[in-house]
Amino acid sequence: MKLKNVLIALAIAVVVGLALGSIIAYTSGALFGPKDPLVTTSSSDVETSLVNASELEDQQKKEDRAKAEKALSDAEKESKKADQTSSEKKTKTQSTESATTQAQSQQAANTQAAAPQQQQQQTQTGGGSATINVQGADLNMRAAADPSATIVGSVSNGTQVTVLDRANGMVHIQTGDGRQAWVAQDYVNG
C-alpha cells in the first residue's frame, strides 16, 4: 500500500513540476525568445506561437498523465502479486500443518492397533518348548533380535529350549540353565 501512495505522489509532483516549468518558460520568453520592445512581430506569428505552445503543453500533460497512470497500474499489479504470494504461502503452510497432524494421528492409531497384535503374538509364541537343530557347529546366541548383534554365547544341536518371543526372523530362547538370548529362527524346531 505504501508503494502505491509513493508512486501516486511522485506522478502528481511530475505533472505539477512540468506545468510550472512550462508557465515559467513561457512568461520568461524562453520558448519564444526575449520580450524585447524593439522586436516587432506580426499578430499571426504570435497566434501561431501561442497555438504551438498550447499544443506542446497539452501533449506534455498527456504524456505525464500516461506515465503517472502506468506507474499507478504497475504499483497496483505489484501490490496484488504480493497479496497473492502471501495468500499462497499461508495456504501452503496450513496444508502442511494439516498433513503433519493427519500423519501423526494415523501413526498413533497404527501404534495402538499394533500393540494388541504384538501382545497376542507374544502370548501365542511365548512359553513353548523347542529343540535346536543345527548341523555341525554350535548355534550362536545373540544379544538382540538382529543377525549382526553381539554374540553372547552358543547352544548345541538337540538342546531343549523355551521360546520366549519371535521377531525379525529371530527367536528369543531360554536354555535349561537359565541363559536367555536370540537365535536364528531357521534352526529352532517347535
Side-chain angles (χ1 to χ4, degrees):
M1 233 19 207
K2 291 180 182 181
L3 179 63
K4 180 179 174 182
N5 292 339
V6 169
L7 291 175
I8 291 171
L10 181 64
I12 290 171
V14 168
V15 170
V16 169
L18 289 172
L20 288 176
S22 296
I23 291 170
I24 291 170
Y26 178 75
T27 56
S28 69
L31 291 177
F32 308 108
K35 293 197 176 210
D36 188 350
L38 298 176
V39 176
T40 58
T41 57
S42 67
S43 62
S44 65
D45 289 342
V46 172
E47 288 174 10
T48 304
S49 295
L50 289 177
V51 170
N52 288 342
S54 178
E55 288 174 358
L56 286 174
E57 187 176 335
D58 288 343
Q59 183 179 359
Q60 187 65 41
K61 285 180 184 177
K62 287 179 183 178
E63 289 175 4
D64 291 343
R65 191 175 314 128
K67 287 178 185 178
E69 288 174 357
K70 183 174 182 349
L72 180 60
S73 173
D74 290 346
E76 287 175 350
K77 287 179 184 176
E78 288 296 322
S79 176
K80 285 180 183 178
K81 188 184 289 185
D83 289 345
Q84 184 179 9
T85 302
S86 173
S87 175
E88 288 173 357
K89 285 181 182 178
K90 185 176 180 181
T91 302
K92 189 174 185 179
T93 300
Q94 289 172 345
S95 175
T96 302
E97 289 172 356
S98 174
T100 301
T101 303
Q102 188 177 16
Q104 289 171 344
S105 297
Q106 183 65 34
Q107 184 178 11
N110 289 345
T111 302
Q112 289 174 351
Q117 290 175 346
Q118 288 175 347
Q119 289 174 348
Q120 184 180 13
Q121 183 181 15
Q122 288 175 358
T123 303
Q124 290 173 349
T125 60
S129 179
T131 304
I132 300 298
N133 183 15
V134 61
Q135 300 294 324
D138 291 341
L139 181 62
N140 288 328
M141 297 171 62
R142 300 191 178 268
D146 181 355
S148 61
T150 304
I151 298 173
V152 294
S154 63
V155 62
S156 301
N157 184 35
T159 304
Q160 291 291 318
V161 295
T162 302
V163 175
L164 303 174
D165 196 6
R166 294 178 187 269
N168 299 329
M170 303 286 285
V171 180
H172 191 204
I173 62 166
Q174 182 173 352
T175 62
D177 61 359
R179 294 182 298 154
Q180 291 186 8
W182 293 86
V183 294
Q185 182 174 332
D186 294 341
Y187 303 103
V188 178
N189 290 338

